[in-house]
Amino acid sequence: MALQHRTALLIIVLPLLLPNWLSANTLTVLNWPDYLSDTLIKQFEKRENAKLKFVYYDSDDARDKLLNLNNAQGYDIIVTSRVRIDMYVEQNWLLKLDKKQLPNTKYIKFSWFEFANKNGFYCVPYTWGTTGILYNAQKIPSPPQTWAEFFNQTNRYSKKIRLLNDSRTLLPMALIALGYDSHSNDKNNIKQATELLYRQLPNIHSFSALNLDRSSLFLNDSIWISMAYNGDAEYLQKQKPELRFIQPSDGTNIWLDCLTISAKSSDPQLAYRFINFLHAPENAAKTSSDLRYATTNEQAIKHLPNEIKNNRIIYPAIDKLDNAKLTRKLPPATERYFHTAYKQLLFAHKKLNEVEK
Amino acid sequence: MKLRQKILLVIVLFIACPMTVIGLFTYNISLDNKQAQVEHSINSQIQQQAFALEHFFKDVNSSLQLLKQDEILLEYIARSEEGERYSILLPQLLDMFSRYATAYERIEEIQLVTKNGFLDAHFSTQFTNLVNDWLHDEPWFEQLEQPLSQTFYYIDPVNNHRKLFATTPLYNSLSNRPFLWGYLLLKINPERVDKLIQKSPSQDGINLLVNAQGLVVSSNKANNLNLTLPEFVRNELINNKGDGKFSEIFFNNQDMSFTTYDVADNFKLIAGASLADITADNQKLPYIILAILLTTMLISSWLVFILIERMILKPIAKLNMASKAIGSGKLSFRLPAKQDDEIGHLFESFNRMVNSLKQANNSLEDYKAHLEEKVKSRTLALQTTNNELREARNIAEQANALKSRFLANMSHEFRTPLTAICGFTEQALLNIDDKALTHQLLDKVLNNSQHLRSLISDVLDLSKIESGKLEVELIPSSLPEILSSVVQIAESMCQQKSLTFEQKMDKLLPLQFVTDPTRLRQILINLIANAVKFTHSGFVKLSVHYILKKQQLTFVVEDSGIGISPEAKKKLFKPFVQADLSTTRNYGGTGLGLALSQSLAQCLNGNISVASELGIGAKFTLQITLPDSTLQLGKIEELKTYELQKQKTLNLQNAHILLVEDNLDNQSLLKLMLNRTGAILDIANNGQEAVEQNLIADYDLILMDMQMPVMGGLEAVHLIRQTGFEGIIIALTANVMDAEIDEYIKNGCDTFIAKPIDSKILYQTLADYLLDNNEAENAIDFEAIEEQINNSEEIKSLRENFTRSLPDILAQIEQAATAKNYQDVAISAHTLKGNSKTLGWPTLSPSAAIIEKAAQQQDNSLIINELNKLRDLLQNGNKES
């Protein structure tokens, strides 16, 4: 079975890889779904007479898995969270970037740039955001204001609640709910956080990232409340006005996503140009307003409409986020705990659902 | 021994016993069979389970090998860098483990352990939170280092939790020089193994899966889990291994039979069953066989018995019962001869026999019934005749009694006018010279004669009236004449009873009218006679009234007599019935008078009515409505009467009388009385003498004392009458109870005279029976005679003698009483009772009577008591009470 699974993955991936070898002006981008402005994609394709291919992942683990499968071969641009950069570098999956080929990076806010590239220039900061709670105000008139409330009162919206399927996001929020540091490496803290989540399992609808298209379960009221990245929340809110986003007062992690170039990219020059294109201030502004995420490009802010610029969901005042912490890389032992706990939770939830069915 | 018991014995001997033997034999055979079968089934069970277990372990090991060769795993252990492993590969590894666990349900947990005992990765199907990272302290860890087999068993000492592991070493094969990386472990759910050996051929059967150390890994019985089998048990079982042999071991407190089978990885499967259980289980079938055989035996025995009973015994019993029934006379009893077999024929001939018996019996019965009927009808006829005779006798007796009474009364009625006739005629003859007187006297004679005649005609009339042949003679009659004759007779009658006769005539009376003078006179005389008869003192009054307007002539006869009770009034006008039967005796009379009078009055167009008050008098009123109104009315002169001179002696000169009396005093007294009559008197001292004397002499009259020694009066009378004596017998008795008197009369006495004897009654009675005519009797002044007697010297001396003898008599009684000679006491007392009354000491009589009774009851104290009373009376000289 494991063999079959593996074959299946190859079958999916192979067709994606083939055109790259045939056509030089094709870029394969490994990305979250809906995480690039369609307008910019079309502009770039037109300008460079190039073709952009996309491979999507719905979680960090999925991306890791995809990259590990072929040792990052077959991708040109890899959109990844900042915390994974060091690991990918260790795996020799990322190209060390040449700043000269990325002149537009000068528009990037220096603090972001510096924070992202402590161990060498691999990451071009793309967007940043927080993790919070998205809920349907019509169904839930008094929403949880903290993670503690959120994780302890799942029975209020039993089977209408969704959790993110990323252990590195889920468990830190549970740690915050318990009053621990979101980056705690203490095994007992993690055990408690796991226990807290285990108790909520019967009320959990599913573990998943939010779907942003029309099939989103928020739109047909299958889900009333969910962990959400602020941009996704903002994006969905436009489609369903009853939805509200809460930034829990007991804390959150601030994440930063990077644009990287695969060490095995077949056309690194085109990749450089694409990243540079994305960081042209007007393009970065376009990205921010299209994706409803905050851009790291300082110059782009000027090009943003006020509606976006002043949106506190998209652009939370970092200095005013009391308990917010920039997401950092986890030590291996913590990673081990997170994964072990998360997989156990996932399996238990699956079994619960099977029993219910 | 009865037939029934014999048959039963035969059935038991030849059917039941052999079948029981066969049953027991079969039971034994099946017992042996069963043993073999059980062993076989245990064997096949254990083989099957061993195969399943083997398969199970192989399956587990093959999945372990598959997992071991998974590329993800190989890649994972190839990465030495922890960060890479945990950050990038661990999620994939865990996903892979998850898929395996889902695919192989028996896997409880997958563990990846480094060779130094670090739990690098693990996945459990049961949610377990983060666990201990290091396993090298676990007691089983050494088993990983020196693996005996791929599968091993371990008991968690903390909670006695069973753990079954399949394990394999992992080598880093991706590196150039493969080295031991660590171990891959599959934790198996032992309950899955339990399930495989759950089944056992017997209920108490035990299946054990034992590891090389003799530890019970799995069992169908939870209480055996985690046991370590004792050494000798293990040896015994291992020695037996393979040849399907069974060893009997005492296990879990019972004798059990075990067999062993090898399973993969040094496990041994042991199957056993309790011997008791085998036996118990084994016994079922043989028991069923035994039960069936026994049931069959019982049923067949029963059937045979029932058949014999039905076909032979019952018919015999029936026959027996029928014979008994026939014997006790139930001849209608028949046996049902439906069967066409020997029994049926037997029954038929029996029935035929009973039939002929019944026929014979029937003819006998017929004859008997006929006889009875005959007897019955004759008895009935006899009874009817008897009844008729009895009735006829009753009627005859009644008629006779009635006639006798009637005749007796009649004779007295006839005498009255006859006496007058005789008397007046005598007077006329004496005064023949005085023509006027003679004439007057003869007139009276004539009138009396006529009355006599009419009296006689009364009787005739009565019979005529009764037969409806009375003729009334209607002629012009003179009322004075009628009244004159009536008054004459009335005066005569009143004179005789010293009654005042009063007459009162209306001033104007029809002197002559058409009527039947005889009948009218008859009615009036009847009424007057009646009045006289029932009047003892006072008057009898005749009043005659005439109411011109109504032309009603009324005669009223009043008296101051005894009167008539209202009840008697109703019967007053019926023939032969007087107001009281006793009146006949007291007052005489035909009993015809009023009835005849009423009938006659009706013939004369009149009616008699009566008004009376008991004890004061009666008033009879005769009303006659005269036929024509042109009557000559006139005054009637007072009618005169004449007094008769009566004789003061009773002359019975021709009479021959026998006095039967034992008491000398009484003899003397009666002799005195009868001597004055001039009658010839013989004396008998008792009944026997009387009978003898009667045969010698021819007596006109016998005076018979009823209570005498030797022969009593009643017996004597009876005998005398049997000799054909037709004279008169008068009973002398102190017992004047009606019943006694009736008895005397029935036995032949004509009448009785009560003791103490009243001389007047004696004379009257004698005169009644011995004098030929009434006139003589009427002419006798009995009171004068009585006075003469009582004043005579003889009587006086008799009384004095008696008085003198009284103390002696009392002494005699006392003496007898002291000697307890009660018979003498009774006789003496009886004599005293009679004599004291007769001879002037009536006060002594009651006590004498008490003594007599007391003597009969032998009550001595009462006798003495009464004797004392008598002495007191005697001393006081208390003659009269």
Side-chain angles (χ1 to χ4, degrees):
Chain A
M1 185 137 174
L3 205 66
Q4 283 170 357
H5 189 70
R6 214 176 142 78
T7 318
L9 278 171
L10 279 172
I11 292 165
I12 297 165
V13 171
L14 274 174
L16 298 174
L17 303 178
L18 288 173
N20 284 357
W21 303 329
L22 299 174
S23 158
N25 50 359
T26 299
L27 276 182
T28 303
V29 183
L30 182 64
N31 194 12
W32 299 92
D34 306 314
Y35 205 42
L36 265 174
S37 165
D38 288 342
T39 322
L40 293 180
I41 291 165
K42 278 173 192 151
Q43 273 182 23
F44 182 74
E45 279 178 341
K46 200 175 171 184
R47 190 167 91 179
E48 297 287 342
N49 190 26
K51 183 79 186 159
L52 287 179
K53 297 265 179 194
F54 289 92
V55 176
Y56 298 120
Y57 53 86
D58 66 346
S59 69
D60 282 357
D61 289 350
R63 183 184 56 221
D64 290 354
K65 195 172 161 184
L66 285 172
L67 290 173
N68 188 53
L69 199 61
N70 266 326
N71 232 344
Q73 204 149 24
Y75 307 107
D76 296 297
I77 304 289
I78 298 167
V79 182
T80 176
S81 53
R82 147 78 187 95
V83 289
R84 304 303 288 157
I85 294 291
D86 291 349
M87 180 58 59
Y88 291 175
V89 171
E90 277 172 35
Q91 299 294 318
N92 296 317
W93 289 346
L94 299 183
L95 185 75
K96 186 159 183 159
L97 300 176
D98 179 3
K99 208 172 177 180
K100 289 172 191 162
Q101 302 211 39
L102 296 164
N104 286 343
T105 55
K106 65 183 179 222
Y107 301 122
I108 294 170
K109 192 176 176 181
F110 181 71
S111 56
W112 282 121
F113 193 88
E114 194 186 45
F115 169 74
N117 293 301
K118 281 177 183 165
N119 303 317
F121 185 29
Y122 293 97
C123 162
V124 178
Y126 182 45
T127 56
W128 63 276
T130 60
T131 308
I133 300 162
L134 178 66
Y135 70 98
N136 185 330
Q138 213 170 43
K139 303 284 181 189
I140 304 167
S142 57
Q145 297 297 326
T146 61
W147 289 114
E149 281 173 29
F150 177 79
F151 281 118
N152 282 304
Q153 300 175 2
T154 54
N155 57 333
R156 282 174 59 197
Y157 10 86
S158 182
K159 296 291 174 201
K160 297 287 185 188
I161 181 164
R162 172 172 271 185
L163 300 181
L164 285 172
N165 55 350
D166 187 346
S167 59
R168 296 177 195 89
T169 312
L170 178 62
L171 282 161
M173 294 308 114
L175 283 167
I176 290 172
L178 289 167
Y180 300 129
D181 186 342
S182 61
H183 287 80
S184 170
N185 296 314
D186 187 273
K187 187 180 175 184
N188 273 331
N189 293 355
I190 299 168
K191 260 180 108 164
Q192 285 176 51
T194 311
E195 184 62 34
L196 171 67
L197 291 171
Y198 180 69
R199 285 201 304 271
Q200 316 304 322
L201 284 184
N203 299 325
I204 306 301
H205 177 274
S206 53
F207 290 86
S208 172
L210 288 177
N211 194 341
L212 299 182
D213 62 24
R214 291 186 173 279
S215 64
S216 172
L217 294 181
F218 262 111
L219 300 183
N220 62 11
D221 290 340
S222 290
I223 288 170
W224 295 346
I225 188 164
S226 174
M227 286 175 79
Y229 300 117
N230 59 341
D232 290 351
E234 196 17 61
Y235 189 85
L236 281 172
Q237 200 178 1
K238 264 169 69 185
Q239 297 172 53
K240 190 171 173 85
E242 304 94 282
L243 298 182
R244 303 275 187 281
F245 182 78
I246 279 186
Q247 191 61 64
S249 58
D250 48 356
T252 187
N253 278 352
I254 295 170
W255 48 264
L256 174 66
D257 276 344
C258 301
L259 300 166
T260 64
I261 298 170
S262 170
K264 291 154 189 157
S265 172
S266 53
D267 193 351
Q269 298 310 309
L270 187 61
Y272 274 121
R273 288 203 295 279
F274 181 58
I275 291 171
N276 200 45
F277 170 77
L278 286 180
H279 264 293
E282 62 276 15
N283 290 348
K286 181 72 181 160
T287 300
S288 183
S289 56
D290 277 3
L291 303 185
R292 322 291 283 183
Y293 276 113
T295 179
T296 51
N297 191 311
E298 261 180 326
Q299 289 301 309
I301 306 294
K302 296 170 187 169
H303 300 276
L304 281 173
N306 286 339
E307 171 226 339
I308 302 292
K309 193 160 52 182
N310 300 326
N311 188 321
R312 289 290 143 227
I313 294 173
I314 302 169
Y315 287 95
I318 292 182
D319 23 338
K320 282 181 188 167
L321 287 175
D322 294 337
N323 303 313
K325 291 206 166 116
L326 283 168
T327 313
R328 291 193 310 269
K329 186 195 168 200
L330 298 169
T334 308
E335 286 264 20
R336 194 173 132 256
Y337 293 146
F338 276 12
H339 288 309
T340 305
Y342 177 67
K343 293 299 179 191
Q344 292 280 335
L345 285 170
L346 214 58
F347 190 81
H349 183 249
K350 196 172 106 191
K351 267 173 57 175
L352 267 178
N353 282 349
E354 277 168 8
V355 169
E356 277 173 24
K357 275 169 195 169
Chain B
M1 208 186 254
K2 275 188 172 178
L3 195 56
R4 189 190 174 88
Q5 288 160 339
K6 281 178 192 167
I7 289 165
L8 265 177
L9 193 69
V10 167
I11 288 170
V12 167
L13 277 178
F14 295 101
I15 299 177
C17 290
M19 284 187 95
T20 312
V21 170
I22 292 169
L24 289 172
F25 185 64
T26 318
Y27 169 72
N28 273 331
I29 288 174
S30 60
L31 211 62
D32 290 346
N33 259 348
K34 186 66 193 172
Q35 180 94 29
Q37 263 179 26
V38 166
E39 285 181 1
H40 177 73
S41 72
I42 291 176
N43 257 330
S44 70
Q45 178 80 36
I46 196 174
Q47 279 176 26
Q48 212 178 328
Q49 286 177 356
F51 179 78
L53 282 173
E54 195 119 6
H55 181 75
F56 178 82
F57 286 122
K58 268 187 190 162
D59 202 25
V60 169
N61 284 326
S62 69
S63 58
L64 186 65
Q65 292 309 316
L66 201 64
L67 188 58
K68 185 184 177 181
Q69 286 158 23
D70 192 286
E71 281 179 36
I72 295 174
L73 182 66
L74 291 176
E75 186 182 355
Y76 184 83
I77 60 172
R79 303 283 180 99
S80 54
E81 176 56 42
E82 272 189 3
E84 290 176 53
R85 268 216 316 275
Y86 300 148
S87 184
I88 297 167
L89 293 172
L90 185 58
Q92 295 179 47
L93 184 75
L94 292 176
D95 281 344
M96 189 266 280
F97 284 172
S98 159
R99 284 197 298 277
Y100 266 82
T102 311
Y104 299 92
E105 276 182 33
R106 62 184 76 89
I107 297 174
E108 238 180 8
E109 194 171 339
I110 303 170
Q111 294 181 346
L112 192 62
V113 187
T114 61
K115 63 182 172 188
N116 53 357
F118 182 73
L119 180 60
D120 192 82
H122 73 99
F123 182 85
S124 169
T125 55
Q126 301 302 310
F127 176 80
T128 47
N129 212 326
L130 302 176
V131 293
N132 202 357
D133 289 337
W134 288 94
L135 298 178
H136 52 68
D137 290 338
E138 295 281 344
W140 48 265
F141 186 71
E142 58 184 23
Q143 290 195 32
L144 296 178
E145 292 173 319
Q146 296 135 9
L148 288 169
S149 64
Q150 286 186 314
T151 317
F152 71 93
Y153 178 72
Y154 166 73
I155 296 173
D156 187 346
V158 180
N159 49 15
N160 218 19
H161 193 72
R162 286 186 294 161
K163 287 181 178 176
L164 189 62
F165 294 102
T167 175
T168 184
L170 285 174
Y171 295 93
N172 188 346
S173 55
L174 293 183
S175 89
N176 297 334
R177 283 197 308 148
F179 59 92
L180 179 69
W181 185 88
Y183 309 97
L184 181 64
L185 281 85
L186 291 185
K187 208 162 121 192
I188 310 297
N189 186 349
E191 285 169 15
R192 302 221 160 241
V193 180
D194 294 349
K195 270 186 194 168
L196 292 176
I197 58 168
Q198 198 59 44
K199 263 169 71 180
S200 173
S202 76
Q203 204 184 358
D204 282 352
I206 292 175
N207 294 333
L208 302 170
L209 184 68
V210 183
N211 70 359
Q213 286 79 37
L215 199 64
V216 177
V217 174
S218 172
S219 172
N220 61 335
K221 297 272 193 304
N223 58 336
N224 296 322
L225 293 175
N226 305 341
L227 273 177
T228 306
L229 287 184
E231 190 68 28
F232 77 95
V233 175
R234 240 186 303 163
N235 291 340
E236 174 76 27
L237 291 175
I238 287 159
N239 289 344
N240 266 343
K241 183 199 88 145
D243 19 352
K245 261 191 188 173
F246 280 79
S247 317
E248 289 185 8
I249 293 168
F250 187 74
F251 184 80
N252 272 5
N253 296 328
Q254 52 186 337
D255 281 318
M256 299 193 74
S257 190
F258 284 100
T259 186
T260 314
Y261 212 91
D262 275 353
V263 187
D265 290 343
N266 286 333
F267 286 108
K268 287 185 196 304
L269 178 63
I270 300 168
S274 117
L275 286 177
D277 194 32
I278 289 172
T279 324
D281 199 31
N282 283 355
Q283 272 165 354
K284 256 184 207 167
L285 183 66
Y287 276 148
I288 289 168
I289 292 169
L290 202 60
I292 290 171
L293 265 165
L294 282 174
T295 316
T296 319
M297 187 227 6
L298 284 175
I299 289 175
S300 60
S301 306
W302 179 72
L303 272 176
V304 168
F305 181 74
I306 288 291
L307 272 175
I308 290 173
E309 170 141 61
R310 280 261 169 93
M311 291 167 74
I312 298 165
L313 292 183
K314 263 197 185 164
I316 288 173
K318 262 188 197 171
L319 205 58
N320 189 26
M321 192 187 69
S323 311
K324 275 182 190 163
I326 302 296
S328 65
K330 289 176 190 165
L331 287 179
S332 58
F333 201 96
R334 288 291 179 280
L335 287 168
K338 290 173 201 159
Q339 289 163 275
D340 188 25
D341 56 9
E342 288 81 352
I343 295 293
H345 299 156
L346 186 63
F347 281 16
E348 261 175 34
S349 40
F350 181 85
N351 284 346
R352 272 203 296 280
M353 185 191 82
V354 175
N355 271 339
S356 50
L357 204 61
K358 196 185 179 183
Q359 273 169 10
N361 206 46
N362 276 351
S363 53
L364 208 64
E365 285 285 322
D366 273 0
Y367 179 70
K368 224 161 82 181
H370 194 59
L371 195 66
E372 263 176 24
E373 211 172 284
K374 246 185 206 171
V375 169
K376 219 185 260 175
S377 70
R378 286 195 188 161
T379 311
L380 202 67
L382 216 56
Q383 261 175 357
T384 318
T385 319
N386 262 0
N387 284 342
E388 280 168 1
L389 279 174
R390 202 174 293 134
E391 211 170 303
R393 196 184 70 186
N394 280 345
I395 292 166
E397 276 175 357
Q398 277 175 9
N400 192 37
L402 222 54
K403 286 281 191 280
S404 299
R405 211 160 61 206
F406 176 69
L407 282 175
N409 294 339
M410 220 31 74
S411 63
H412 180 77
E413 293 298 317
F414 290 157
R415 272 191 195 119
T416 309
L418 267 175
T419 307
I421 291 165
C422 293
F424 287 127
T425 313
E426 210 173 321
Q427 291 292 321
L429 288 173
L430 284 175
N431 302 300
I432 197 115
D433 297 334
D434 189 345
K435 274 199 175 177
L437 186 57
T438 305
H439 188 261
Q440 214 173 13
L441 289 172
L442 285 175
D443 260 0
K444 287 188 180 183
V445 170
L446 186 64
N447 284 340
N448 274 300
S449 305
Q450 280 168 345
H451 172 61
L452 183 59
R453 192 185 62 196
S454 64
L455 199 61
I456 291 163
S457 63
D458 264 6
V459 180
L460 295 172
D461 288 346
L462 194 68
S463 63
K464 276 182 190 166
I465 290 167
E466 283 194 337
S467 59
K469 287 173 186 171
L470 182 79
E471 282 173 19
V472 178
E473 182 190 21
L474 292 175
I475 51 166
S477 309
S478 159
L479 183 61
E481 272 180 30
I482 295 166
L483 285 176
S484 171
S485 63
V486 167
V487 167
Q488 272 179 21
I489 294 167
E491 278 184 336
S492 163
M493 286 191 285
C494 286
Q495 205 175 0
Q496 280 177 24
K497 288 196 78 176
S498 309
L499 299 173
T500 317
F501 179 74
E502 293 169 18
Q503 42 181 307
K504 190 189 169 200
M505 313 286 168
D506 276 5
K507 283 179 182 170
L508 285 174
L509 291 170
L511 295 175
Q512 201 161 16
F513 53 89
V514 173
T515 187
D516 186 332
T518 319
R519 303 295 177 205
L520 183 54
R521 199 181 292 125
Q522 197 181 345
I523 294 168
L524 290 173
I525 287 171
N526 263 341
L527 291 178
I528 289 165
N530 207 42
V532 170
K533 197 186 284 174
F534 293 106
T535 305
H536 300 294
S537 62
F539 64 91
V540 173
K541 185 179 174 185
L542 172 68
S543 321
V544 185
H545 313 283
Y546 181 68
I547 299 166
L548 188 60
K549 275 185 187 170
K550 293 184 180 174
Q551 294 190 15
Q552 204 172 53
L553 187 61
T554 308
F555 302 87
V556 179
V557 177
E558 271 178 276
D559 65 53
S560 56
I562 57 171
I564 305 158
S565 70
E567 291 83 34
K569 233 187 250 179
K570 291 176 192 167
K571 300 192 275 184
L572 209 53
F573 297 104
K574 289 182 179 159
F576 298 111
V577 176
Q578 286 179 332
D580 189 334
L581 273 179
S582 60
T583 50
T584 310
R585 219 163 31 243
N586 292 336
Y587 304 102
T590 58
L592 287 177
L594 286 172
L596 188 60
S597 302
Q598 181 68 288
S599 303
L600 290 172
Q602 281 162 5
C603 292
L604 298 177
N605 201 17
N607 181 44
I608 299 172
S609 60
V610 64
S612 173
E613 207 168 319
L614 202 61
I616 291 172
K619 184 176 173 184
F620 286 87
T621 306
L622 167 66
Q623 283 180 330
I624 299 169
T625 307
L626 298 181
D628 59 298
S629 54
T630 56
L631 290 171
Q632 189 196 341
L633 298 177
K635 192 183 181 212
I636 295 169
E637 286 176 35
E638 189 153 314
L639 303 158
K640 290 201 177 146
T641 59
Y642 307 92
E643 192 131 354
L644 284 171
Q645 201 176 357
K646 285 198 173 178
Q647 288 179 350
K648 290 198 175 165
T649 56
L650 176 64
N651 186 3
L652 300 170
Q653 260 174 352
N654 298 322
H656 196 181
I657 295 172
L658 176 64
L659 170 63
V660 188
E661 171 65 76
D662 62 316
N663 188 301
L664 294 177
D665 289 333
N666 276 348
Q667 273 183 21
S668 311
L669 186 63
L670 282 164
K671 233 192 255 176
L672 276 175
M673 288 176 177
L674 291 172
N675 279 345
R676 288 183 164 261
T677 64
I680 304 161
L681 185 69
D682 286 348
I683 291 173
N685 287 313
N686 55 49
Q688 200 172 340
E689 281 182 24
V691 175
E692 285 163 8
Q693 287 195 17
N694 181 50
L695 289 173
I696 300 161
D698 188 13
Y699 295 103
D700 296 317
L701 187 144
I702 299 172
L703 287 167
M704 178 72 77
D705 181 25
M706 296 316 280
Q707 202 165 22
M708 287 180 297
V710 184
M711 183 186 281
L714 206 58
E715 198 185 344
V717 170
H718 195 69
L719 287 170
I720 288 166
R721 283 299 185 200
Q722 275 189 344
T723 60
F725 178 76
E726 288 180 342
I728 293 149
I729 301 175
I730 296 169
L732 303 176
T733 179
N735 296 331
V736 290
M737 305 286 287
D738 284 353
E740 302 271 344
I741 302 302
D742 285 351
E743 185 74 6
Y744 301 155
I745 302 289
K746 216 187 265 174
N747 274 287
C749 291
D750 292 280
T751 186
F752 75 97
I753 295 170
K755 282 180 163 182
I757 293 160
D758 187 307
S759 54
K760 184 183 161 193
I761 291 170
L762 175 69
Y763 289 137
Q764 274 180 343
T765 310
L766 289 176
D768 274 353
Y769 284 101
L770 293 176
L771 289 180
D772 295 337
N773 45 34
N774 246 20
E775 113 265 4
E777 195 190 339
N778 283 346
I780 294 168
D781 188 345
F782 290 106
E783 279 162 11
I785 296 171
E786 187 183 21
E787 213 164 297
Q788 285 170 16
I789 284 275
N790 284 342
N791 294 331
S792 70
E793 287 300 318
E794 294 95 328
I795 293 290
K796 278 178 184 167
S797 71
L798 205 63
R799 284 183 177 164
E800 279 161 17
N801 283 342
F802 177 68
T803 307
R804 274 196 297 276
S805 73
L806 275 172
D808 288 346
I809 294 169
L810 295 185
Q812 249 174 43
I813 293 172
E814 189 168 17
Q815 199 178 347
T818 316
K820 306 221 167 168
N821 192 349
Y822 292 111
Q823 207 177 344
D824 286 0
V825 173
I827 291 167
S828 301
H830 180 73
T831 313
L832 180 60
K833 181 180 77 177
N835 288 354
S836 59
K837 272 192 204 165
T838 322
L839 298 172
W841 288 89
T843 49
L844 303 186
S845 185
S847 287
I850 292 171
I851 289 173
E852 185 187 1
K853 229 175 219 174
Q856 280 158 9
Q857 291 163 2
Q858 308 196 342
D859 188 344
N860 208 3
S861 62
L862 189 58
I863 293 169
I864 302 299
N865 194 24
E866 290 301 319
L867 275 172
N868 289 338
K869 268 190 198 170
L870 286 174
R871 279 204 193 90
D872 285 348
L873 288 169
L874 203 59
Q875 274 174 4
N876 296 338
N878 206 356
K879 287 185 181 180
E880 307 284 340
S881 60

